[in-house]
Amino acid sequence: MLQRLRMLTAGESHGPALVGILEGIPAGLAIGEQLIGVQLQRRRQVAGRGGRSHIETDAVQILAGVRHGHTLGSPLALLLTNRDFPQWSEIMSVTAPTLPVEPVTVPRPGHIDLAGCLKYDTSDTRNVSERASARETAMRTALGAICRQLLLELGISVGSQVLQAGSICDTNDYGHLTPGQLNLLADKSPLRCLDPGVSAAMQKAIDEATATGDTLGGKLAVRVAGVPAGLGSTTQWDTRLQARLGAALLSIGGMKGFEIGSGFSGTSRPGSEANDAILPVAGGFRRPSNNAGGLEGGLSNGEEIILRVAMKPVPTLRRPQQSVDLVTGKSALPPQERGDSWAVAAASIVAEAMTCLVLVDALLEKFGGDTLNQLQQHLQASANWSRPKLSHESGDE
Ligand code: EPS
């Protein structure tokens, strides 16, 4: 789905490290390990995480693509060492282990285990679950942090919040907040929920689930301000921006639903109410509403992009669920595993990162440039038509 960027990650959850490559970022972008570290910390230090998040420090190392604090235009290579690897060195050994390693032959319901074992013709679930693990999203967050910096240089900001944990929902309207303000407030709460009362109820529900060895899911929102109109294309199905954003967000483990703007609830309204009117104002026009969530016909329309993603409950339970031993064919319980009891807050940071990646790709596709400076100039040159007067700029909403 990426047109101009290439992103690759490698690494098993309990292997030595995660590795990431991002190609296509223009030269001249100021970036450093500390800036990337800020996003990694946001992902790690949230509610619902299991013991592993306390073990990992997620200290990133830039191996390539940056010189004297600025990108070179060459591929960026990042390394995130797994601190927990020494405990797993035999189990995850690249060479044949020196000690016998027990295979994990009972798949966890809801996890990739069974489908993955069928795909790869193995009865050891570890051969598939290690790569499918959400650990990989640490690297996505790191690579996304580079894209976020580029977006900031272009005046585009991305924010997110948690809207639901289990059955507890935050139904307040936060439309008056910019994505930057949203993040400032969300980051103050370990749940990344803006309403303190709702947050407390969410925490209680998570604690109750954790106490019984269970897990919860939920819903998150991502919002982006400052996106120029005309990103994406309608020339082919896979060039539409909304398809690219949807694919990126649904590629995060556990995501089961994707909404844009008024989303599923908007479908019950007639078109006359669902459409966002176009009103003339001096020097341009304004949209009094944003049901489209900033995407019309698959293109960005210059309004704020509003996305929501539904995440299923974390499948790994400490209260094991009925399954089958793939070797004996007999009824069995999966081994008890540590894990996260709720991952929606962490996923909201990953969702921001994936959104940043897609938007940088679409910006480079439309405006191009080998350097940040060129990209900025190209964007500026088309400012009149690509950044129409927005409703929130007109001051009369
Ligand atoms: C994960 C299970 C847990 C999480 C891990 C993702 O790890 P472990 O099995 O080692 O306890 O902590 O997430 C991370 C380590 C991370 O950085 O997000 C899983 O099975 O997806």
Side-chain angles (χ1 to χ4, degrees):
M1 287 279 195
L2 294 176
Q3 311 285 324
R4 289 299 167 108
L5 292 177
R6 283 203 284 182
M7 182 183 90
L8 278 176
T9 70
E12 276 68 45
S13 183
H14 301 95
L18 295 171
V19 180
I21 291 187
L22 182 60
E23 190 179 57
I25 295 292
L29 175 71
I31 196 80
E33 291 170 356
Q34 211 179 336
L35 270 177
I36 299 173
V38 169
Q39 299 308 322
L40 288 168
Q41 192 156 341
R42 287 178 72 220
R43 191 193 77 100
R44 201 165 57 80
Q45 288 186 340
V46 283
R49 307 300 310 280
R52 181 78 183 278
S53 66
H54 302 293
I55 296 170
E56 302 298 344
T57 51
D58 286 349
V60 74
Q61 236 182 303
I62 301 176
L63 299 181
V66 179
R67 181 162 186 255
H68 300 170
H70 289 84
T71 55
L72 293 167
S74 56
L76 285 125
L78 304 186
L79 180 75
L80 266 175
T81 304
N82 286 329
R83 286 187 69 195
D84 204 25
F85 177 63
Q87 324 309 320
W88 296 80
S89 56
E90 280 295 329
I91 295 174
M92 293 306 295
S93 172
V94 172
T95 54
T98 50
L99 303 169
V101 171
E102 277 292 299
V104 183
T105 58
V106 185
R108 292 161 290 178
H111 217 283
I112 189 180
D113 297 355
L114 180 58
C117 282
L118 294 171
K119 175 176 171 66
Y120 288 104
D121 197 14
T122 175
S123 52
D124 188 350
T125 66
R126 198 169 286 292
N127 286 338
V128 289
S129 64
E130 279 288 330
R131 180 60 187 155
S133 163
R135 174 75 192 137
E136 185 260 352
T137 63
M139 183 49 78
R140 295 201 210 185
T141 304
L143 296 172
I146 299 165
C147 296
R148 178 193 301 266
Q149 276 314 110
L150 181 57
L151 293 180
L152 282 176
E153 295 284 353
L154 303 177
I156 299 169
S157 58
V158 179
S160 69
Q161 70 188 119
V162 166
L163 296 175
Q164 190 180 332
S167 61
I168 314 292
C169 299
D170 182 353
T171 55
N172 295 307
D173 181 3
Y174 296 103
H176 58 288
L177 298 176
T178 65
Q181 291 167 334
L182 201 65
N183 266 359
L184 273 180
L185 293 171
D187 286 346
K188 287 196 175 125
S189 144
L191 289 111
R192 307 207 69 249
C193 167
L194 270 66
D195 184 310
V198 178
S199 238
M202 286 178 172
Q203 187 63 63
K204 189 162 170 277
I206 295 165
D207 290 346
E208 280 167 11
T210 311
T212 58
D214 216 329
T215 61
L216 295 179
K219 202 154 85 174
L220 62 94
V222 177
R223 283 175 33 199
V224 194
V227 181
L231 297 191
S233 151
T234 54
T235 55
Q236 294 293 348
W237 65 273
D238 58 349
T239 61
R240 289 180 186 251
L241 188 63
Q242 70 181 48
R244 289 149 72 171
L245 287 165
L249 294 184
L250 291 169
S251 75
I252 304 167
M255 298 309 169
K256 289 292 191 184
F258 176 61
E259 284 186 319
I260 302 166
S262 58
F264 294 125
S265 68
T267 58
S268 56
R269 279 187 259 170
S272 54
E273 288 174 27
N275 293 339
D276 302 305
I278 307 168
L279 306 177
V281 289
F285 50 83
R286 73 177 187 96
R287 315 295 295 266
S289 58
N290 186 13
N291 294 326
L295 293 157
E296 283 175 311
L299 306 181
S300 62
N301 66 3
E303 297 287 322
E304 189 175 279
I305 291 185
I306 302 170
L307 310 169
R308 283 183 295 279
V309 198
M311 185 179 199
K312 70 173 183 174
V314 175
T316 305
L317 308 179
R318 274 188 304 101
R319 185 176 60 182
Q321 213 170 0
Q322 184 59 56
S323 184
V324 168
D325 189 314
L326 296 178
V327 173
T328 66
K330 296 211 168 94
S331 169
L333 294 177
Q336 283 215 352
E337 303 251 0
R338 72 179 175 200
D340 305 334
S341 52
W342 182 73
V344 183
S348 67
I349 308 299
V350 183
E352 285 182 18
M354 292 307 288
T355 303
C356 291
L357 179 79
V358 170
L359 291 178
V360 167
D361 183 60
L363 281 157
L364 286 169
E365 177 187 36
K366 180 165 174 60
F367 298 102
D370 292 311
T371 67
L372 172 61
N373 212 319
Q374 288 168 8
L375 176 60
Q376 281 167 326
Q377 283 175 24
H378 298 165
L379 181 61
Q380 187 56 35
S382 14
N384 279 344
W385 51 267
S386 66
R387 280 210 163 126
K389 197 168 176 62
L390 301 180
S391 49
H392 62 265
E393 286 169 356
S394 68
D396 55 358
E397 202 187 27

